[in-house]
Structures are given as C-alpha cells and as structure tokens.
Amino acid sequence: MIMVTGGAGYIGSHVCIALLDAGFDVVVVDNLSNSKRTSLDRVQAICGRSISFEKVDLRDEKAILRILRDFDVTAVVHLAGLKAVGDSHENPIGYYDNNFVGTLRLVSAMKTANVRKLIFSSSATVYGNPSYLPIDESHSLAPTNPYGRTKYFIEEMLRDLHGSDNDWSIAILRYFNPVGAHESGVIGEDPSGIPNNLLPLVAQVAIGKRKQLVVLGNDYPTHDGTGIRDFIHVVDLASGHLSALNHLKGPGILTTNLGTGRGTSVLEIVQAFESVSGSAVPHTIGDRRAGDVAACYADPTLAADLLGWKSTKTLVQMCADHWRWQSNNPNGYHPPTQPTSERDAPT
Ligand code: UD1
C-alpha cells in the first residue's frame, strides 16, 4: 500500500492514477485545505479501482502513525504542501509549520512505523536565480522566497535523515512547471481564488472568465522578451513518481530534476493555447513580477540515466489537455452555481 499525501490535489490526483494503473493500492492523506474530495471520486472512475481516503493533517503524528500501520504502508509519496510564493512572504510561520513541521512529523511517524521509503515533491524553486542553463542538479541552491526555503530545508532534513540511518530510501524530485491535465478532461488544476501561475490564467482568459492576461514583462533578455520556463505535462510528472518508486529498491538517496529540458516563452504559450482552443487570449504587457527570472529550464539527463524516465508530451498536448479540463469544468470541481430563488431562475 502506498500512502500519497496531498493526493487529492492537482499533482496528487494524477500521481494516484499512475500508481493505480501500475497496480499499487493507494491511501490518500489530505487535509483538503487546497483540494477537493471529488477529485478522488473521478480518479476512481477513471481507473475503475478504489482508493482509501483519510482527511488528516500531516502535523497530526498520531493519526499518521495509525494510518501507516492500519494500511500496512510500504512507501510514502509526499506531495502535501502550501505553494503560493506571495502568501509565503506574508505568512512564513504558517508555511514553515505546514510544510516543514508537517514533513518532520511525517518522517517521525514513518520511522516509528518502520516505513523508510519516501518520495518527496521538491521544486526547481530551490535553485533560485539560475547562474547557468539548463539547470542540472549540481547547480547551487539559493531559494529566493520562504516557500522555496521550506522546500530547501526539507531537502536538507531528508539528507540528514539518510545520513543518520542509511536504511532510508529517499527520492527528492525537483519539479519544473507542471501544466496540463489527464486526457479524460475530468481531473485537473482547480486553483482557489485568482491563480498565480500562467497556464490556469491563460485558460481562464480563453474561456472568458477573465478579460485578459497581463504578460509580466517583455524586456527580458530572451528571444521575444518574455519569460521562459520548462513546462511539463502533469501526466509526465506523475509517471516520474512511478519511475522513482520502482527505482527505489534498496537504501539510498537520490535527487533529480523532473523537467523536459525545453524552454517555452509566455508568448509562445499564449499562441499555442489560442491555436489549440480556437479562442483568443487577449493580453497586455505589464511590469515584471518581483522575484521572476528571465529563463529557467531543466537539464533532464539525470532522471533519464537514474530512473529511465523522460517526458513524452508536447506543448500542444499540454495546452489541449489543459483546455479540455477547463472547458469541460469551467468551475473546476465546484458544481455550477444553482439559482437560489425563482427570481434568479433563467427565463
Ligand atoms: C512560480 C513560482 C515558483 C513555483 C512555480 C510553479 C513565483 C515568483 N514563482 O514560478 O516558486 O515553483 O510557480 O508553481 O511566483 N506570467 C505572466 N503573467 C501572469 C503570470 C505569469 O506573464 O499573470 C509569466 C511569469 O512572469 C513567468 C511565466 O509566466 O515568466 C511563468 O509564471 P508562473 O506560472 O507563475 O511560474 P514561475 O514564475 O516559474
């Protein structure tokens, strides 16, 4: 049985599909602070298999220990965490508590239960401003915001844990920019409030929920002046977790990027999305966002060498799948708003 923390979320729901399809049993632990239980109903429908679910916060170490034992967990895929850079500046205590302390309690419970296999969701944000491109795993680590530092400190803690007890088997996966959705179009990213990331914003503009996209800077030293990122299809990202799990046969610790190695600019995303969706994405040029870098993309060689994993999906597939999810579910997992009285009913 594999425990997936944060399994009801955007990446988690796709990881659950990869695990179920590979024949693993899954128990999801999620406090639903930024996710919906419905996503798991849909995962079960896609896979034709059931998932166990526990609405538990990771900081509740007793509850985690109970789940590890009751479900006979053999490995944990740990994705739960807060991830909004802006919020992390305003609420560092909350971020350290949720992300760092949550992970600390998790590994403490794992140690007690003698479960020593862990896959951890880290981020390319741990590298900070790239000093060269593409970024490989030996690039220096200098995250530029509290969110990124929670990921960095967790990585350090896991390295210390392995240093103290070589029986641990740990994979640290540094994600680049996950986008897209399962090709069924029934699960996908459902950001609460105003999305922070580019693809959800582009999709909401394309469907008419937002008037326009503001391109945050067109004076970067890139070919079209807009920011360049390594967008990776979330289904590819999910399969990277499966590869890591299959690779972790014995004790050890590995750290690897999960990216495509290809950089795509903001304007290239807008164009690809327009042509796939057939909808216009009106946009204006705004100021740069504080903390943004011109370009960031992965060297994915190590993941290929270590895990035998490579991304397979194209930019067109990323946009098409993102669009299918968005257009089939304009309100995400929320049901469409019902008229509350006769007066509001459509005529
Ligand atoms: C952001 C986070 C990063 C996190 C990553 C993935 C910041 C500073 N960094 O990175 O820590 O790991 O998401 O979740 O928030 N853009 C626009 N208009 C918009 C929004 C974005 O032009 O309204 C541009 C950005 O300037 C950037 C690109 O789109 O060039 C991608 O932005 P985003 O999706 O927020 O990802 P990152 O900046 O890579």
Side-chain angles (χ1 to χ4, degrees):
M1 176 73 75
I2 312 295
M3 177 193 278
V4 181
T5 77
Y10 171 44
I11 296 168
S13 51
H14 291 85
V15 167
C16 287
I17 291 179
L19 293 172
L20 290 172
D21 281 352
F24 289 103
D25 293 319
V26 173
V27 55
V28 164
V29 174
D30 200 307
N31 67 7
L32 300 181
S33 69
N34 189 29
S35 58
K36 295 280 175 313
R37 177 77 177 78
T38 322
S39 64
L40 296 178
D41 298 336
R42 297 188 183 184
V43 166
Q44 295 183 117
I46 290 169
C47 297
R49 294 194 48 207
S50 63
I51 291 186
S52 303
F53 174 71
E54 296 274 342
K55 184 173 182 297
V56 164
D57 191 290
L58 286 184
R59 289 162 292 189
D60 185 348
E61 189 173 331
K62 265 193 184 161
I64 299 296
L65 185 57
R66 172 187 60 77
I67 297 164
L68 290 168
R69 286 179 168 153
D70 285 359
F71 287 89
D72 226 346
V73 170
T74 53
V76 176
V77 180
H78 173 35
L79 314 169
L82 299 174
K83 64 177 183 76
V85 172
D87 290 352
S88 78
H89 280 294
E90 276 161 36
N91 181 18
I93 293 176
Y95 267 67
Y96 281 104
D97 188 33
N98 189 86
N99 292 4
F100 188 84
V101 176
T103 307
L104 191 69
R105 299 272 173 264
L106 171 68
V107 292
S108 171
M110 287 174 69
K111 187 176 162 136
T112 308
N114 203 22
V115 178
R116 284 179 164 75
K117 193 179 280 196
L118 175 70
I119 293 172
F120 171 60
S121 147
S122 188
S123 166
T125 199
V126 297
Y127 295 118
N129 295 335
S131 41
Y132 59 85
L133 290 168
I135 300 184
D136 60 22
E137 292 77 2
S138 48
H139 189 284
S140 54
L141 303 179
T144 57
N145 56 68
Y147 154 69
R149 281 186 282 274
T150 66
K151 293 287 182 189
Y152 167 71
F153 289 129
I154 293 168
E155 283 197 5
E156 292 287 79
M157 191 242 297
L158 295 179
R159 285 186 271 271
D160 285 338
L161 187 58
H162 181 261
S164 74
D165 174 355
N166 297 145
D167 280 348
W168 280 86
S169 187
I170 298 174
I172 295 173
L173 306 179
R174 294 180 179 152
Y175 307 164
F176 281 69
N177 292 60
V179 297
H182 188 263
E183 61 179 4
S184 62
V186 302
I187 63 165
E189 186 169 14
D190 182 18
S192 49
I194 301 173
N196 295 307
N197 298 120
L198 182 63
L199 255 288
L201 283 164
V202 168
Q204 291 191 0
V205 173
I207 206 167
K209 276 181 99 171
R210 278 173 209 288
K211 262 202 179 134
Q212 61 178 15
L213 174 78
V214 180
V215 175
L216 300 172
N218 70 345
D219 56 354
Y220 284 108
T222 61
H223 66 276
D224 62 13
T226 66
I228 286 181
R229 295 292 184 274
D230 187 339
F231 298 97
I232 173 169
H233 198 297
V234 65
V235 169
D236 277 335
L237 191 75
S239 82
H241 294 71
L242 187 62
S243 300
L245 186 63
N246 289 331
H247 176 85
L248 287 181
K249 294 279 180 249
I253 184 162
L254 68 91
T255 304
T256 184
N257 290 335
L258 290 183
T260 68
R262 287 188 307 273
T264 305
S265 76
V266 175
L267 288 181
E268 285 165 347
I269 287 284
V270 169
Q271 280 157 12
F273 211 90
E274 284 183 327
S275 79
V276 158
S277 66
S279 300
V281 179
H283 52 279
T284 54
I285 306 298
D287 292 338
R288 291 180 179 193
R289 180 171 63 184
D292 267 2
V293 298
C296 178
Y297 49 92
D299 180 340
T301 312
L302 191 68
D305 290 351
L306 273 185
L307 309 178
W309 172 90
K310 269 188 186 151
S311 69
T312 59
K313 295 190 182 272
T314 63
L315 183 62
V316 167
Q317 286 172 302
M318 297 178 207
C319 293
D321 292 339
H322 208 109
W323 175 242
R324 191 175 304 110
W325 152 253
Q326 177 72 73
S327 47
N328 290 349
N329 305 269
N331 297 308
Y333 292 113
H334 298 265
T337 317
Q338 298 294 327
T340 49
S341 69
E342 230 176 71
R343 207 194 53 206
D344 296 331
T347 50

